[in-house]
Amino acid sequence: MPDPWTGAAAQRYKRTVVRALKSVPGSSQGPTDAALVTAARAGESWAQEALFRRYSRMVNGLAFRIMGRDGDVDDLVQDSFLEALRNLDRLDNPQAFASWIGSIVVRTAGKRLRKRSLLNRLGLRRATPIDADTILSRDAPPDVQADLSRIYASLEEMHHEARTALILHRVEGMSLPEAAQTMGISLSTIKRRIQSAERVLTEAAREEGA
Amino acid sequence: MSEPTKYAAFVAPELSKARLDAQWARISERRSPERKGRHPAIPAVGLLVAACAFGVVWWPRESRSTGESVWEGSVVASDDAPVEMTLAEGTRIQVDPRSEVKLLHSSARAVQVRLAHGSARFDVAKRRSRRFSVDLGRVEVVVTGTQFRVLRKDGPAGDRIQVTVEEGSVEVRRPDSGVVALHAGENWSTVIPREQIEPSADEVSALEETRAEAGQETPEAEEDDDELYEADVRSHAEARTSTARVKGVEGAEVTADDQLDHIDEDSAERSSRRRAISRERRRRRVREAAVGAGELFDQANLARRAGSLELAAELYDDLVAQYPRDRRASLAAFELGRLRMDSLRDPRGAVQALERALKLDGHGEFAEDALARLVLAAEARGERESCLRAQQRYLTRYPDGVHSQHVTERCGGQ
């Protein structure tokens, strides 16, 4: 059976796809996710790069919002894409690449946050609060700024799972079922985690008011 | 329960094309360990490398801004047009017209670039594990991941050097004046008198010492915030002897003297500055603490001894995944297998780790133990066939081994 990815026309096609996605990262123009995943599974590096170009902004954004620090983002993005590209065969529905990579980012970030909190407890690291001013857009309306500042100021005090749940629900705007699916947990568990995170926020607000 | 709110648009990282390119370059590099050390753009830069053998590459005006990668020893000299180049590790350098840049050293741990003259803009790829520095003769600029511009211009009074930080932060090091930290929006300039342009042997060794000190910081070398602050003030005091100037984004120019006085007089500013210094250094220590196979191994052992077995397992796992060719990788894999089996009750994970250990070093001092443990792990999982295969594997290699009797009794045997 002839290889569908050889030949001059195929080479031109690959170049065109990658070039288009490089110039407009995140664009949904061009081949479907399913087509890219199928080609990437076959070892086509252009398709792997095209998947990265299409979802790099989304993944960078999610990583940034969960970690709350720009310095943590690059490694997390790289690790997440590496895991995704290594395990493409496990993706049941190739068209669902976006939500799948989102879950990978959440899981990878969770591992890092967990390790970090253990290092804190061992005294090998000192927790530093997130400086909301450095991560929030100046275009945000005052009420949004206040809300986000409140969330990010208390983030380091939360358990990492509660923190991730809160970010997915309150910052990413995911519904509870969506957030539960992304984290790979049940609806009742995500509710408990968000409640736990909100207790930390309430406590912080009370202390501030005192 | 609160309603979902969509704030994502207001919390977004700055994503330049260079940053995304660097991320993809790193992913590609890590995806292809077998190609490590071999350059991805060999055909495209073949001529460039050949030309490097003669010392200098001149970029014709028409072919500037190639984005091609350069190798250690390459000299890139621009004519009337700027030249853009990309280092193998993802850093992009824009060499301004009539400027010359040489890549002195490039490895996984360190990259050193020299700006011989002129100016250049650096968009340094963020990589925790390597030190990136720009050599400007008597001045060295050290960064970990940022965008900045440097200028080195020969004037009547001597060498004029200017560093402008656009994003992140850098440290400017001089053998005679210590260290000045620069943050986004700040710039620093100095004039090196003509007679001092080439550092003396003593000064070179002093500079080497400051570089070595920077590379040897460990989490154990904890300094308290007061000491950090005092050290920083001292470095500013030393900077007073130079003509260094620090200029803010708004253009209000102040000398290092003024800045020092300002810090002394304004307690709020002092406190804020102090926090920023300690935060930055703490961050650097943690970052540095987490890199390198040796440090990962030490941290894993430390965590294991402290009873944080899950953390220890994760750190061993990191070491094996990130540094499979390191001499400690096989031992780390074995330790991981032991932890998963004995403490974390994860025989499946233990089998994976032990097999990995044997694959990395099938004849190491722990190989016999690993093979014996594979028998126990298979038995713990209730897999009789696997257990018998593992038993046979052990007994074939170590018929009189220290565990042979114990192994023989497994898998429902005698």
Side-chain angles (χ1 to χ4, degrees), chain A residues 19-61:
Chain A
R19 200 180 300 138
L21 282 163
K22 268 185 176 179
S23 59
V24 190
S27 167
S28 56
Q29 298 289 309
T32 61
D33 285 357
L36 289 176
V37 167
T38 306
R41 277 175 177 167
E44 290 291 328
S45 57
W46 68 273
Q48 294 171 356
E49 181 171 1
L51 283 169
F52 169 79
R53 300 284 173 187
R54 180 169 283 173
Y55 290 106
S56 55
R57 284 189 181 275
M58 182 204 99
V59 168
N60 270 281

Side-chain angles (χ1 to χ4, degrees), chain A residues 94-107:
Chain A
Q95 194 56 36
F97 182 82
S99 56
W100 186 61
I101 185 106
S103 306
I104 291 175
V105 175
V106 166
R107 197 166 58 243

Side-chain angles (χ1 to χ4, degrees), chain A residues 127-176:
Chain A
T128 48
I130 295 168
D131 185 358
D133 290 344
T134 61
I135 61 168
L136 299 189
S137 163
R138 289 177 188 163
D139 299 333
D143 57 328
V144 174
Q145 279 209 1
D147 209 8
L148 284 170
S149 296
R150 203 166 60 87
I151 290 172
Y152 277 98
S154 301
L155 222 49
E156 293 286 300
E157 292 164 31
M158 296 173 192
H159 187 274
H160 68 88
E161 286 170 338
R163 162 193 185 140
T164 306
L166 186 77
I167 293 292
L168 294 182
H169 186 55
R170 295 287 302 277
V171 182
E172 293 297 318
M174 289 185 188
S175 65
L176 289 174

Side-chain angles (χ1 to χ4, degrees), chain B residues 58-76:
Chain B
W58 288 94
W59 232 282
R61 190 186 182 101
E62 298 73 36
S63 64
R64 67 184 187 269
S65 191
T66 63
E68 300 295 5
S69 298
V70 292
W71 288 354
E72 189 172 303
S74 303
V75 178
V76 177

Side-chain angles (χ1 to χ4, degrees), chain B residues 274-288:
Chain B
R274 175 180 162 170
R275 277 199 302 276
I277 292 163
S278 61
R279 193 168 55 237
E280 178 61 30
R281 297 199 181 172
R282 268 203 306 274
R283 210 173 60 192
R284 200 175 64 207
R285 277 202 297 272
V286 169
R287 204 167 50 226
E288 286 174 353

Side-chain angles (χ1 to χ4, degrees), chain B residues 57-59 76-83 95-100 117:
Chain B
V57 178
W58 288 94
W59 232 282
V76 177
S78 57
D79 54 11
D80 290 340
V83 170
V95 184
D96 291 340
R98 293 175 296 286
S99 303
E100 186 180 309
H117 63 80

